[in-house]
Amino acid sequence: MTLTLYNTLTRHKDVFRPIDPNNVRIYACGPTVYDYVHIGNGRMAVVFDLLFRVLRQTYGPDHVTYVRNITDVDDKINARAAERGIAIGELTQTTARQYQEDVAALGCLPPTVEPRATRHIGEMKELIETLVRKGHAYVAQAHVLFHVPSMPDYGKLSNRSLSELEAGARVDVAPYKRDPMDFVLWKPSKPGEPAWPSPCGIELPGRPGWHIECSAMAEKHLGVIFDIHGGGIDLVFPHHENEIAQSRSAHGTPLMANYWLHNGFLTAPEGEKMSKSLGNFTTIHALRQLWPGEALRLALLSTHYRQPLPWSEKVIADARRTLDHWYELTADALPGAPVCADVLEALADDLNTPQAIAALHALRSEAAKGAKPAAACLKASAGLMGLLQEAPADWKAWRPAAMVIDEQKVEALVTARNAARKGRNYAEADRIRDELTAMGIQLKDAKDASTGEIVTTWEVRR
C-alpha cells in the first residue's frame, strides 16, 4: 500500500518514501517524568504507536526502529522532587515506570528504544562543542547558547520568519544573550540540582537544556537524518524548531528528519486546550481506574489525529459500548484472517482513523448477520489498530478499580427480587432493583423461549 502522511514541514500530505526500507526510523518526543501524565500525552503515545504498527505492517516488524525518549532532567523534575522531599533519581524512576504502565494499558507497544536524557550527556556535550566550534553557539556567563541568526532559514517548520518569531516570542531576554531568540544549550546547575562537568572549558558544573537532549538522542539511535519525527502540535515551536536548528547546524545537513508529524490537542468540555498549566486535565492513571485502557484508546482514535479532540465521558462511554459489541461478535473468530482492505486504505491515508473505524463498523454489521469471515476480519483489522487484544472473558469481567462487587450478595438480591415478582410483591421487587442499581448493577429480564419464564441476568453498569 502507498502510505501518505501530512508533513508539517511541507504543509501538505506527502507520499512516504523511507530512506532505507529495511530500517524505517521514527522518533517521537516522550514525557518529562515528574508526575502522572495527562491524557493529552496519551493521545501522542497512541497516535505514534498506531503509526509504528502501520509501518510494521507495511515494512515488516524487524524493519522499523521506533525511538520514544524519556526526559529525566528538567526544572519541573527538580521542583517536584524538592516538594516531595525525595531524591530526583527516585522520582524519575517511579514516574517513568508509571508512564510505561499507563501507555501499555492504552495498548501501546514498547518502542524499539526508550532512551533517557541523563544517559546521553556525553553525546549532548559533543554536539554542543561542535556547534560552538562551527560558530552556531557561544559561551556566556557559564551558559552555552545557540545563536539563532546563524541559521538563515530558522522558522521553516513553524512557517514563520525570524523577524515574526522575534516579535511574537515570549523569551527570557538575559543580558548575556547576543539575540533575544538565542536559546540555552547548557546552563550552570544550582546547588542540589543534577550536574555534570560542563563542555567548552566552562569551570562550573551544569546540565543540558531541553532541546539539545532530543537532538542528541535522535542522532545517537537513528542517525543524522532519519525518516519521521513526531510529537504534539505544541512542540512545533520552539522545541522542534530548535532541534532542527541544532542538528542541521552541527552537521551541515538540509534536514534533520524528512517527515514531521504532529497530533492535535485534546480539549476540555469548555473548548479549551486540556493541559496541566490550565488545571483542566485528567491523568491516564485516573481514567484507568474508571475505564478499560482499550476504551480510552478507541476514544483517542475516534477523531483524526491532526484535529482537536473534545474529551468527555460520553466519548469514552461510546467507545466502551462499541468494544463490548465487537468483543461479543468476535469471541469465536478464528485467527489468521487478513486485515480488511478498507481499513488498510484508510490508515494509509494519513492515519485516517475515523474512516478506518467506519470500515470496522461495516464489518460489525456483516458479523452481526452471522458472517464468520467478517467477524474474523473485524478482529484482525481492529488488532492492527491495537484493539480487541484482550481475551473476551477478561474484557467482560473488567471492573472499575473503585467498584468491588460482592457477587454472592448480588445473586441473593436477584433471587429475592425474582421471588417478590413471582409473589406479585412488585413494590419489594422495585426496591431491590433500586438497591442493585445503587450498587452499580444493571438487571436484564428476558423470557425463556422454551419455558416462557422470566430469566434475570445482571452485569456491572459501565
Side-chain angles (χ1 to χ4, degrees), residues 15-258:
V15 174
F16 177 66
R17 295 185 176 89
I19 298 167
D20 178 3
N22 289 315
N23 184 20
V24 181
R25 290 164 287 163
I26 174 174
Y27 184 96
C29 289
T32 300
V33 287
Y34 66 98
D35 204 342
Y36 286 114
V37 298
H38 69 74
I39 190 62
N41 294 114
R43 188 184 198 191
M44 189 285 296
V46 166
V47 164
F48 288 97
D49 175 75
L50 178 62
L51 177 59
F52 184 33
R53 290 171 180 271
V54 170
L55 292 172
R56 284 161 55 96
Q57 172 81 9
T58 306
Y59 296 96
D62 297 331
H63 301 296
V64 183
T65 302
Y66 173 33
V67 177
R68 186 187 67 207
N69 77 290
I70 286 178
T71 296
D72 57 353
V73 53
D74 183 83
D75 290 339
K76 293 178 181 177
I77 295 172
N78 299 339
R80 185 57 54 86
E83 176 187 311
R84 293 186 181 177
I86 61 175
I88 289 171
E90 180 183 350
L91 175 67
T92 57
Q93 282 294 107
T94 299
T95 51
R97 184 178 65 253
Q98 290 166 347
Y99 172 76
Q100 291 162 342
E101 292 171 354
D102 281 344
V103 295
L106 296 180
C108 296
L109 299 170
T112 314
V113 186
E114 194 170 38
R116 298 190 181 214
T118 54
R119 298 175 188 172
H120 294 74
I121 300 297
E123 288 85 354
M124 296 173 204
K125 289 165 64 174
E126 184 177 344
L127 192 56
I128 289 169
E129 290 179 336
T130 298
L131 289 167
V132 171
R133 186 173 64 252
K134 291 190 171 185
H136 292 287
Y138 57 94
V139 177
Q141 296 187 21
H143 291 71
V144 185
L145 297 105
F146 185 89
H147 189 43
V148 170
S150 72
M151 183 179 181
D153 61 348
Y154 181 89
K156 188 175 180 181
L157 183 69
S158 52
N159 195 30
R160 289 177 287 181
S161 68
L162 185 55
S163 58
E164 289 174 321
L165 290 167
E166 286 179 335
R170 299 175 181 176
V171 294
D172 176 18
V173 185
Y176 48 79
K177 283 188 176 184
R178 294 181 183 173
D179 186 273
M181 289 296 296
D182 293 352
F183 57 87
V184 171
L185 303 175
W186 189 269
K187 57 185 174 182
S189 295
K190 298 174 184 176
E193 292 181 342
W196 292 266
S198 295
C200 307
I202 298 171
E203 293 184 2
L204 293 174
R207 55 193 177 95
W210 175 33
H211 312 302
I212 198 70
E213 296 174 5
C214 284
S215 283
M217 287 185 282
E219 180 185 338
K220 169 73 174 180
H221 297 286
L222 298 176
V224 172
I225 301 177
F226 51 93
D227 295 301
I228 301 169
H229 195 315
I233 192 68
D234 55 324
L235 298 183
V236 173
F237 183 85
H239 185 52
H240 287 168
E241 200 76 78
N242 290 351
E243 278 189 65
I244 291 172
Q246 294 162 161
S247 297
R248 285 185 52 200
S249 297
H251 301 293
T253 51
L255 294 165
M256 178 187 181
N258 287 334

Side-chain angles (χ1 to χ4, degrees), residues 250-332:
H251 301 293
T253 51
L255 294 165
M256 178 187 181
N258 287 334
Y259 302 83
W260 289 80
L261 272 64
H262 295 93
N263 63 273
F265 292 129
L266 259 63
T267 60
E270 300 78 18
E272 292 181 310
K273 169 194 170 184
M274 186 182 288
S275 70
K276 288 187 176 181
S277 61
L278 294 174
N280 59 358
F281 72 99
T282 186
T283 65
I284 303 171
H285 178 77
L287 288 166
R288 285 177 54 205
Q289 312 313 303
L290 303 172
W291 303 94
E294 272 194 24
L296 300 175
R297 183 182 181 92
L298 180 57
L300 289 167
L301 294 174
S302 62
T303 299
H304 191 277
Y305 78 92
R306 288 192 284 114
Q307 301 303 316
L309 171 55
W311 190 251
S312 67
E313 186 172 294
K314 182 181 184 303
V315 173
I316 310 171
D318 288 346
R320 175 70 197 259
R321 283 191 290 271
T322 293
L323 287 167
D324 283 345
H325 198 191
W326 290 358
Y327 266 104
E328 183 180 348
L329 291 172
T330 60
D332 299 322

